[in-house]
Amino acid sequence: MPIECPFQKKYISSLRTDDEAFMTLAYNEAIEAMKHDETPVGAVAVLGNKVIASAHNSVIELNDPSAHAEMLVITKAATAIGDWRLNDIKLYVTKEPCPMCSGAIIMSRIGEVIFGVSDSKMGCLGGSLAMQEIKSFNHTPIVKKGVLEDDCAKLLEYFFEKKRKK
């Protein structure tokens, strides 16, 4: 049985093209994930000032452990631009990427990652490990954290509190 989602999507002017505006779109994707009983993580890929891909966690829906929001968005973004090299892409994600997603971010050469809430257990862009600081890797994305952090954290806290009560 899905978890009831008391959170409402946030609306923001389409004229805004700042980090908070794009993170709001990722936040809205995270709400969609929660409505499907998925861990509420959402992501959007931005090229220039245009969203070219968006997704939310779909691990349960797709029965695929790799169907994290970031992985799905990376695939969609590569398809949208017709190239696996995503150097000019900014990735907005509500929670710090895990080891798998951080590796995919580096391998796809995403230029910048902006995330909401840090993950001290599984986050690999500074939380538990900072993969972007490994000197031998051939790509180092710019990493920015804390955009809409409180809102993103509240979604996750609510979701896991309800899961524990089940």
Side-chain angles (χ1 to χ4, degrees):
M1 183 170 159
I3 289 179
E4 183 181 322
C5 181
F7 297 91
Q8 298 295 316
K9 288 187 175 183
K10 295 176 179 238
Y11 294 94
I12 195 151
S13 169
S14 60
L15 300 175
R16 284 191 54 192
T17 57
D18 57 11
D19 288 343
E20 188 174 305
F22 292 123
M23 187 62 76
T24 297
L25 299 176
Y27 174 87
N28 289 343
E29 284 288 340
I31 288 173
E32 283 302 309
M34 187 184 294
K35 288 179 180 177
H36 292 92
D37 203 27
E38 301 275 1
T39 302
V41 177
V44 297
V46 175
L47 179 61
N49 286 324
K50 181 181 176 194
V51 174
I52 62 166
S54 61
H56 56 76
N57 275 5
S58 297
V59 172
I60 296 166
E61 177 187 350
L62 298 175
N63 196 29
D64 179 354
S66 71
H68 290 196
E70 302 95 323
M71 300 295 285
L72 298 171
V73 161
I74 288 169
T75 299
K76 288 179 177 182
T79 299
I81 67 168
D83 194 348
W84 64 269
R85 294 172 200 86
L86 304 178
N87 302 71
D88 297 325
I89 300 294
K90 285 187 177 184
L91 174 67
Y92 292 83
V93 61
T94 56
K95 187 180 87 50
E96 181 179 358
C98 71
M100 172 181 66
C101 296
S102 297
I105 286 164
I106 291 167
M107 294 303 293
S108 63
R109 301 179 184 171
I110 287 178
E112 188 171 351
V113 180
I114 300 94
F115 64 85
V117 63
S118 295
D119 182 351
S120 62
K121 292 181 181 177
M122 292 293 288
C124 283
L125 293 179
S128 173
L129 176 70
M131 288 177 71
Q132 77 278 14
E133 294 177 6
I134 298 174
K135 301 281 187 229
S136 61
F137 286 177
N138 69 340
H139 178 70
T140 305
I142 296 166
V143 175
K144 180 179 180 181
K145 63 181 180 176
V147 177
L148 292 185
E149 182 174 15
D150 290 342
D151 292 330
C152 296
K154 285 176 185 172
L155 280 179
L156 289 161
E157 289 165 5
Y158 178 84
F159 178 81
F160 287 113
E161 179 182 312
K162 293 296 181 187
K163 282 288 190 185
R164 284 190 293 276
K165 287 182 179 178
K166 282 187 174 182

